């Protein structure tokens, strides 16, 4: 738990001295192992907004439509069954009407272990493991590239991994993607207009909607070992305003 407090302080300090968030900042560096009695503690912070927000599936504004297109692109490339996108949207949206290839209460009540559709945003992406058409293998393939944040939260193009960047812009071949990541490492983007202008020749950004160069949500992972005992704390932090980052949720395993 002390490690989670460390992460809150790091992110608070960063907000006071930087107008953008990128992978060259101190918060993005893995905490080196710190010795403790008969063990050690280590930690890392990851930008939750460097991933595609699965809760966009439950919204209906223009930004959400664009985010769903990006999710569909990522799913197709990572082998997630096509029906899973509609089923996830039904799981997250507030209504009880099933989409084509989707599923609502009637489907889940007929399963060996009956249950209802959530019809609400998820707090953690892993919750989608019970959704129609989502296999453990398919979920594991997309899990590193998804977040579960409030609908409308943008994707940070400065911290998005290559797999997410390739879902944001069209015609990003492997060679162009490598060039874009190398260019970003050399000089992070300060605006979305700059991101668009620095795309490799031949690549196209269909829309600026749902994109940003700054983040407010971060995942924290702290691992501790003492003798043969190991434990891990995970948390989602929300940064904003004059207060230190708030803990949205945390679990200790």
């Amino acid at each position: 738990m002390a490690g989670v407090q460390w992460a809150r302080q790091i992110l608070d300090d960063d907000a006071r001295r930087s107008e953008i968030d990128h992978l060259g900042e101190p918060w993005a560096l893995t905490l080196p192992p710190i010795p403790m009695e008969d063990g050690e503690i280590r930690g890392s912070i990851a930008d939750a907004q460097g991933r595609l927000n699965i809760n966009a599936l439950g919204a209906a504004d223009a930004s959400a439509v664009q985010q769903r297109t990006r999710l569909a692109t990522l799913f197709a490339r990572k082998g997630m069954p096509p029906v899973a996108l509609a089923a996830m949207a039904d799981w997250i949206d507030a209504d009880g009407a099933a989409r084509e290839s989707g599923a609502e209460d009637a489907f889940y009540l007929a399963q060996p272990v009956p249950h209802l559709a959530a019809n609400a945003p998820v707090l953690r992406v892993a919750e989608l493991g019970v959704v129609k058409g989502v296999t453990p293998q398919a979920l594991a393939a997309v899990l590193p590239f998804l977040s579960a944040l409030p609908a409308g939260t943008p994707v940070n193009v400065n911290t998005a991994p290559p797999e997410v960047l390739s879902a944001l812009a069209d015609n990003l071949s492997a060679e162009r993607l490598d060039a874009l990541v190398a260019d970003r490492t050399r000089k992070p983007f300060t605006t979305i207009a700059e991101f668009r202008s620095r795309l490799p020749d031949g690549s196209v950004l269909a829309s600026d909607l749902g994109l940003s160069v700054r983040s407010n949500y971060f995942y924290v992972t702290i691992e501790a070992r003492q003798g043969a005992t190991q434990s891990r704390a995970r948390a989602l932090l929300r940064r904003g305003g004059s207060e230190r980052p708030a803990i949205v949720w945390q679990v200790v395993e």
Side-chain angles (χ1 to χ4, degrees):
M1 303 318 298
V4 174
Q5 298 307 314
W6 158 81
R8 293 178 70 198
Q9 184 62 55
I10 289 288
L11 292 170
D12 187 47
D13 291 344
D14 174 74
R16 299 177 189 278
R17 64 171 179 262
S18 176
E19 293 299 319
I20 65 172
D21 293 298
H22 58 86
L23 297 177
E25 296 187 296
W27 64 262
L29 303 176
T30 300
L31 179 69
I34 299 175
M36 55 185 290
E37 184 178 355
D38 194 27
E40 63 182 23
I41 182 172
R42 64 178 67 208
S44 63
I45 302 173
D47 186 1
Q49 289 180 233
R51 310 176 185 191
L52 297 179
N53 182 14
I54 199 67
N55 284 326
L57 293 174
D61 59 11
S63 177
V65 171
Q66 189 62 48
Q67 296 285 44
R68 285 197 293 273
T69 299
R70 295 162 182 161
L71 284 164
T73 300
L74 175 71
F75 283 9
R77 291 173 178 169
K78 291 297 178 180
M80 178 69 77
V83 298
L85 191 69
M88 287 181 183
D90 279 337
W91 186 267
I92 292 168
D93 67 22
D95 64 53
R99 304 163 192 249
E100 183 178 355
S101 301
E104 287 287 357
D105 288 348
F107 173 83
Y108 296 108
L109 288 172
Q111 300 309 300
V113 180
H115 58 281
L116 300 175
N119 291 134
V122 297
L123 292 178
R124 291 184 287 278
V125 179
E127 296 173 33
L128 297 172
V130 299
V131 171
K132 173 188 175 184
V134 179
T135 66
Q137 295 79 9
L139 186 59
V142 297
L143 198 60
F145 314 112
L146 300 180
S147 61
L149 304 174
T153 304
V155 178
N156 187 335
V157 297
N158 276 326
T159 60
E163 292 85 351
V164 172
L165 287 175
S166 66
L168 302 181
D170 298 329
N171 300 326
L172 265 179
S173 64
E175 182 178 357
R176 290 169 180 166
L177 186 58
D178 289 344
L180 179 62
V181 172
D183 185 45
R184 182 182 69 178
T185 301
R186 178 185 60 82
K187 182 182 182 299
F189 308 111
T190 58
T191 65
I192 296 304
E194 182 184 345
F195 171 66
R196 179 189 289 274
S197 69
R198 288 167 55 188
L199 285 173
D201 290 342
S203 300
V204 178
L205 184 64
S207 174
D208 293 356
L209 292 174
L211 302 180
S212 178
V213 294
R214 184 169 174 80
S215 299
N216 289 321
Y217 290 90
F218 297 84
Y219 289 122
V220 178
T221 301
I222 305 294
E223 296 178 331
R225 178 184 61 80
Q226 189 168 36
T229 302
Q230 296 187 358
S231 62
R232 180 174 65 173
R234 294 183 294 126
L236 173 64
L237 303 183
R238 181 184 69 246
R239 190 171 63 181
S242 58
E243 302 295 326
R244 292 181 67 192
I247 299 174
V248 179
W249 56 257
Q250 62 182 347
V251 294
V252 178
E253 303 164 328

